[in-house]
Amino acid sequence: MAVTIHPTAIVDEGAEIGDGSRVWHWTHICAGAKIGTGCSFGQNVFVGNDVIIGNNVKVQNNVSVYDAVRLGDDVFCGPSVVFTNVYNPRSAIARKSEYRETVVGRGVSLGANCTIVCGNSIGENAFIGAGAVVNTHVPPHALMLGVPARRKGWMCRCGTQLKGTGSVRCECGNRYEISAEECKPL
């Protein structure tokens, strides 16, 4: 399946883009980027050189995926999500050697306008609410809301909030063991 690249998009020579991916208006993919199959990049997206993106990732309009960001398969980035890559930037001081890696696990949803501070990881199937600021590691299946983001619950792989503790069954049929600290698929 062919890669679709809109005439206004810029894809630097050397960028790897998997089959069936689509790159829409005014998007720039840098030379070193590695992108899986079936991905979609909305309008005005930037993807840096040292970026790895899995399969079936959806990146909505106005998202900048800077160097040192890793997105797993099936990640959803809502409009205007922000990734940082330097913890204490200063215009007059070069800090490219201080980039901190951000790892976003499989199936994570990042809500519109949320900010992911560099150096943190987000566990599989976590859900970050719109406008949240993530400045810590996020466990798998966590529902994170607010500024700074705090865990407010747990999410099923299907995107439904889970209720209760102990053995919990989602309406989709998936089952989990939930405690105060973690949510494990059964």
mmCIF file of all heavy atoms in Angstrom, residues 109-140:
data_model
loop_
_atom_site.group_PDB
_atom_site.id
_atom_site.type_symbol
_atom_site.label_atom_id
_atom_site.label_comp_id
_atom_site.label_asym_id
_atom_site.label_seq_id
_atom_site.Cartn_x
_atom_site.Cartn_y
_atom_site.Cartn_z
ATOM 1 N N SER A 109 -3.587 7.049 24.649
ATOM 2 C CA SER A 109 -4.284 8.204 24.076
ATOM 3 C C SER A 109 -3.836 9.460 24.803
ATOM 4 O O SER A 109 -3.874 9.512 26.038
ATOM 5 C CB SER A 109 -5.801 8.061 24.222
ATOM 6 O OG SER A 109 -6.281 7.035 23.391
ATOM 7 N N LEU A 110 -3.417 10.454 24.028
ATOM 8 C CA LEU A 110 -2.997 11.745 24.580
ATOM 9 C C LEU A 110 -4.029 12.781 24.152
ATOM 10 O O LEU A 110 -4.198 13.052 22.960
ATOM 11 C CB LEU A 110 -1.610 12.125 24.046
ATOM 12 C CG LEU A 110 -0.498 11.093 24.270
ATOM 13 C CD1 LEU A 110 0.787 11.508 23.543
ATOM 14 C CD2 LEU A 110 -0.240 10.904 25.756
ATOM 15 N N GLY A 111 -4.735 13.367 25.125
ATOM 16 C CA GLY A 111 -5.810 14.306 24.826
ATOM 17 C C GLY A 111 -5.302 15.615 24.254
ATOM 18 O O GLY A 111 -4.118 15.959 24.354
ATOM 19 N N ALA A 112 -6.215 16.358 23.651
ATOM 20 C CA ALA A 112 -5.886 17.633 23.026
ATOM 21 C C ALA A 112 -5.169 18.560 23.999
ATOM 22 O O ALA A 112 -5.529 18.651 25.173
ATOM 23 C CB ALA A 112 -7.159 18.307 22.530
ATOM 24 N N ASN A 113 -4.131 19.215 23.506
ATOM 25 C CA ASN A 113 -3.386 20.231 24.266
ATOM 26 C C ASN A 113 -2.695 19.718 25.517
ATOM 27 O O ASN A 113 -2.321 20.513 26.374
ATOM 28 C CB ASN A 113 -4.297 21.403 24.645
ATOM 29 C CG ASN A 113 -4.716 22.186 23.453
ATOM 30 O OD1 ASN A 113 -3.886 22.662 22.681
ATOM 31 N ND2 ASN A 113 -6.025 22.317 23.242
ATOM 32 N N CYS A 114 -2.520 18.422 25.674
ATOM 33 C CA CYS A 114 -1.758 17.978 26.842
ATOM 34 C C CYS A 114 -0.267 18.154 26.562
ATOM 35 O O CYS A 114 0.157 18.252 25.406
ATOM 36 C CB CYS A 114 -2.090 16.538 27.232
ATOM 37 S SG CYS A 114 -1.480 15.260 26.145
ATOM 38 N N THR A 115 0.519 18.245 27.633
ATOM 39 C CA THR A 115 1.963 18.431 27.536
ATOM 40 C C THR A 115 2.655 17.266 28.220
ATOM 41 O O THR A 115 2.328 16.929 29.362
ATOM 42 C CB THR A 115 2.389 19.750 28.214
ATOM 43 O OG1 THR A 115 1.766 20.831 27.526
ATOM 44 C CG2 THR A 115 3.897 19.920 28.191
ATOM 45 N N ILE A 116 3.613 16.652 27.518
ATOM 46 C CA ILE A 116 4.380 15.539 28.074
ATOM 47 C C ILE A 116 5.798 16.049 28.305
ATOM 48 O O ILE A 116 6.559 16.293 27.363
ATOM 49 C CB ILE A 116 4.388 14.331 27.119
ATOM 50 C CG1 ILE A 116 2.972 13.998 26.621
ATOM 51 C CG2 ILE A 116 5.061 13.141 27.799
ATOM 52 C CD1 ILE A 116 1.962 13.687 27.701
ATOM 53 N N VAL A 117 6.165 16.244 29.571
ATOM 54 C CA VAL A 117 7.500 16.726 29.915
ATOM 55 C C VAL A 117 8.504 15.592 29.667
ATOM 56 O O VAL A 117 8.249 14.440 30.007
ATOM 57 C CB VAL A 117 7.548 17.201 31.382
ATOM 58 C CG1 VAL A 117 8.953 17.610 31.777
ATOM 59 C CG2 VAL A 117 6.564 18.356 31.578
ATOM 60 N N CYS A 118 9.634 15.938 29.076
ATOM 61 C CA CYS A 118 10.622 14.950 28.648
ATOM 62 C C CYS A 118 11.161 14.126 29.820
ATOM 63 O O CYS A 118 11.129 14.549 30.973
ATOM 64 C CB CYS A 118 11.771 15.638 27.926
ATOM 65 S SG CYS A 118 12.652 16.841 28.918
ATOM 66 N N GLY A 119 11.653 12.926 29.474
ATOM 67 C CA GLY A 119 12.269 12.061 30.462
ATOM 68 C C GLY A 119 11.292 11.138 31.168
ATOM 69 O O GLY A 119 11.683 10.393 32.060
ATOM 70 N N ASN A 120 10.051 11.149 30.766
ATOM 71 C CA ASN A 120 9.039 10.310 31.404
ATOM 72 C C ASN A 120 8.548 9.233 30.440
ATOM 73 O O ASN A 120 8.689 9.355 29.225
ATOM 74 C CB ASN A 120 7.863 11.167 31.875
ATOM 75 C CG ASN A 120 8.277 12.079 32.996
ATOM 76 O OD1 ASN A 120 8.722 11.619 34.049
ATOM 77 N ND2 ASN A 120 8.205 13.377 32.758
ATOM 78 N N SER A 121 7.962 8.195 31.006
ATOM 79 C CA SER A 121 7.371 7.141 30.188
ATOM 80 C C SER A 121 5.892 7.042 30.533
ATOM 81 O O SER A 121 5.482 7.314 31.661
ATOM 82 C CB SER A 121 8.073 5.809 30.430
ATOM 83 O OG SER A 121 7.919 5.424 31.778
ATOM 84 N N ILE A 122 5.128 6.648 29.538
ATOM 85 C CA ILE A 122 3.687 6.473 29.716
ATOM 86 C C ILE A 122 3.365 5.028 29.377
ATOM 87 O O ILE A 122 3.614 4.575 28.254
ATOM 88 C CB ILE A 122 2.905 7.458 28.828
ATOM 89 C CG1 ILE A 122 3.290 8.901 29.184
ATOM 90 C CG2 ILE A 122 1.401 7.237 28.973
ATOM 91 C CD1 ILE A 122 2.659 9.954 28.312
ATOM 92 N N GLY A 123 2.829 4.298 30.346
ATOM 93 C CA GLY A 123 2.580 2.865 30.173
ATOM 94 C C GLY A 123 1.468 2.569 29.185
ATOM 95 O O GLY A 123 0.618 3.415 28.889
ATOM 96 N N GLU A 124 1.457 1.335 28.708
ATOM 97 C CA GLU A 124 0.481 0.901 27.704
ATOM 98 C C GLU A 124 -0.948 1.232 28.109
ATOM 99 O O GLU A 124 -1.336 1.086 29.267
ATOM 100 C CB GLU A 124 0.585 -0.609 27.490
ATOM 101 C CG GLU A 124 1.816 -1.030 26.770
ATOM 102 C CD GLU A 124 1.763 -2.508 26.384
ATOM 103 O OE1 GLU A 124 0.758 -3.181 26.653
ATOM 104 O OE2 GLU A 124 2.753 -2.968 25.803
ATOM 105 N N ASN A 125 -1.703 1.668 27.131
ATOM 106 C CA ASN A 125 -3.143 1.913 27.257
ATOM 107 C C ASN A 125 -3.508 2.987 28.279
ATOM 108 O O ASN A 125 -4.673 3.075 28.679
ATOM 109 C CB ASN A 125 -3.894 0.613 27.555
ATOM 110 C CG ASN A 125 -3.723 -0.389 26.445
ATOM 111 O OD1 ASN A 125 -4.002 -0.080 25.287
ATOM 112 N ND2 ASN A 125 -3.238 -1.567 26.773
ATOM 113 N N ALA A 126 -2.541 3.785 28.707
ATOM 114 C CA ALA A 126 -2.870 4.911 29.585
ATOM 115 C C ALA A 126 -3.655 5.942 28.785
ATOM 116 O O ALA A 126 -3.643 5.947 27.551
ATOM 117 C CB ALA A 126 -1.608 5.534 30.164
ATOM 118 N N PHE A 127 -4.333 6.819 29.511
ATOM 119 C CA PHE A 127 -5.180 7.828 28.885
ATOM 120 C C PHE A 127 -4.878 9.159 29.567
ATOM 121 O O PHE A 127 -5.092 9.300 30.767
ATOM 122 C CB PHE A 127 -6.653 7.443 29.083
ATOM 123 C CG PHE A 127 -7.612 8.148 28.201
ATOM 124 C CD1 PHE A 127 -8.145 7.501 27.092
ATOM 125 C CD2 PHE A 127 -8.006 9.440 28.467
ATOM 126 C CE1 PHE A 127 -9.051 8.142 26.266
ATOM 127 C CE2 PHE A 127 -8.909 10.088 27.653
ATOM 128 C CZ PHE A 127 -9.436 9.438 26.548
ATOM 129 N N ILE A 128 -4.380 10.119 28.785
ATOM 130 C CA ILE A 128 -4.025 11.427 29.333
ATOM 131 C C ILE A 128 -5.102 12.418 28.894
ATOM 132 O O ILE A 128 -5.342 12.603 27.702
ATOM 133 C CB ILE A 128 -2.641 11.886 28.806
ATOM 134 C CG1 ILE A 128 -1.584 10.774 28.986
ATOM 135 C CG2 ILE A 128 -2.238 13.182 29.502
ATOM 136 C CD1 ILE A 128 -1.363 10.297 30.398
ATOM 137 N N GLY A 129 -5.753 13.050 29.850
ATOM 138 C CA GLY A 129 -6.856 13.953 29.549
ATOM 139 C C GLY A 129 -6.409 15.236 28.861
ATOM 140 O O GLY A 129 -5.251 15.650 28.943
ATOM 141 N N ALA A 130 -7.360 15.883 28.199
ATOM 142 C CA ALA A 130 -7.095 17.135 27.496
ATOM 143 C C ALA A 130 -6.509 18.171 28.449
ATOM 144 O O ALA A 130 -6.994 18.350 29.561
ATOM 145 C CB ALA A 130 -8.377 17.658 26.865
ATOM 146 N N GLY A 131 -5.451 18.831 28.028
ATOM 147 C CA GLY A 131 -4.843 19.912 28.795
ATOM 148 C C GLY A 131 -3.976 19.479 29.963
ATOM 149 O O GLY A 131 -3.387 20.320 30.638
ATOM 150 N N ALA A 132 -3.857 18.196 30.224
ATOM 151 C CA ALA A 132 -3.053 17.723 31.355
ATOM 152 C C ALA A 132 -1.565 17.980 31.092
ATOM 153 O O ALA A 132 -1.121 18.053 29.947
ATOM 154 C CB ALA A 132 -3.287 16.229 31.596
ATOM 155 N N VAL A 133 -0.800 18.107 32.178
ATOM 156 C CA VAL A 133 0.656 18.235 32.074
ATOM 157 C C VAL A 133 1.278 17.048 32.807
ATOM 158 O O VAL A 133 1.173 16.944 34.033
ATOM 159 C CB VAL A 133 1.161 19.564 32.678
ATOM 160 C CG1 VAL A 133 2.689 19.610 32.662
ATOM 161 C CG2 VAL A 133 0.579 20.746 31.921
ATOM 162 N N VAL A 134 1.901 16.152 32.038
ATOM 163 C CA VAL A 134 2.502 14.944 32.606
ATOM 164 C C VAL A 134 3.957 15.233 32.925
ATOM 165 O O VAL A 134 4.756 15.536 32.030
ATOM 166 C CB VAL A 134 2.387 13.758 31.625
ATOM 167 C CG1 VAL A 134 3.159 12.545 32.144
ATOM 168 C CG2 VAL A 134 0.927 13.411 31.381
ATOM 169 N N ASN A 135 4.325 15.160 34.207
ATOM 170 C CA ASN A 135 5.703 15.408 34.628
ATOM 171 C C ASN A 135 6.248 14.274 35.493
ATOM 172 O O ASN A 135 7.144 14.464 36.301
ATOM 173 C CB ASN A 135 5.821 16.752 35.351
ATOM 174 C CG ASN A 135 5.031 16.784 36.638
ATOM 175 O OD1 ASN A 135 4.314 15.830 36.952
ATOM 176 N ND2 ASN A 135 5.150 17.867 37.388
ATOM 177 N N THR A 136 5.685 13.086 35.308
ATOM 178 C CA THR A 136 6.111 11.906 36.055
ATOM 179 C C THR A 136 5.862 10.664 35.201
ATOM 180 O O THR A 136 5.172 10.752 34.185
ATOM 181 C CB THR A 136 5.338 11.804 37.393
ATOM 182 O OG1 THR A 136 5.872 10.753 38.171
ATOM 183 C CG2 THR A 136 3.857 11.564 37.152
ATOM 184 N N HIS A 137 6.404 9.528 35.605
ATOM 185 C CA HIS A 137 6.108 8.284 34.898
ATOM 186 C C HIS A 137 4.641 7.900 35.151
ATOM 187 O O HIS A 137 4.120 8.101 36.258
ATOM 188 C CB HIS A 137 7.031 7.165 35.374
ATOM 189 C CG HIS A 137 8.479 7.416 35.039
ATOM 190 N ND1 HIS A 137 8.947 7.444 33.747
ATOM 191 C CD2 HIS A 137 9.538 7.678 35.827
ATOM 192 C CE1 HIS A 137 10.237 7.688 33.758
ATOM 193 N NE2 HIS A 137 10.626 7.855 35.011
ATOM 194 N N VAL A 138 4.011 7.342 34.128
ATOM 195 C CA VAL A 138 2.594 6.979 34.195
ATOM 196 C C VAL A 138 2.479 5.459 34.065
ATOM 197 O O VAL A 138 2.981 4.882 33.101
ATOM 198 C CB VAL A 138 1.814 7.672 33.059
ATOM 199 C CG1 VAL A 138 0.367 7.201 33.013
ATOM 200 C CG2 VAL A 138 1.888 9.195 33.206
ATOM 201 N N PRO A 139 1.792 4.796 35.014
ATOM 202 C CA PRO A 139 1.653 3.337 34.913
ATOM 203 C C PRO A 139 0.693 2.936 33.790
ATOM 204 O O PRO A 139 -0.157 3.732 33.385
ATOM 205 C CB PRO A 139 1.099 2.943 36.285
ATOM 206 C CG PRO A 139 0.449 4.152 36.819
ATOM 207 C CD PRO A 139 1.177 5.340 36.230
ATOM 208 N N PRO A 140 0.802 1.695 33.315
ATOM 209 C CA PRO A 140 -0.131 1.216 32.290
ATOM 210 C C PRO A 140 -1.581 1.368 32.748
ATOM 211 O O PRO A 140 -1.893 1.191 33.924
ATOM 212 C CB PRO A 140 0.243 -0.266 32.137
ATOM 213 C CG PRO A 140 1.653 -0.353 32.602
ATOM 214 C CD PRO A 140 1.786 0.682 33.683
#
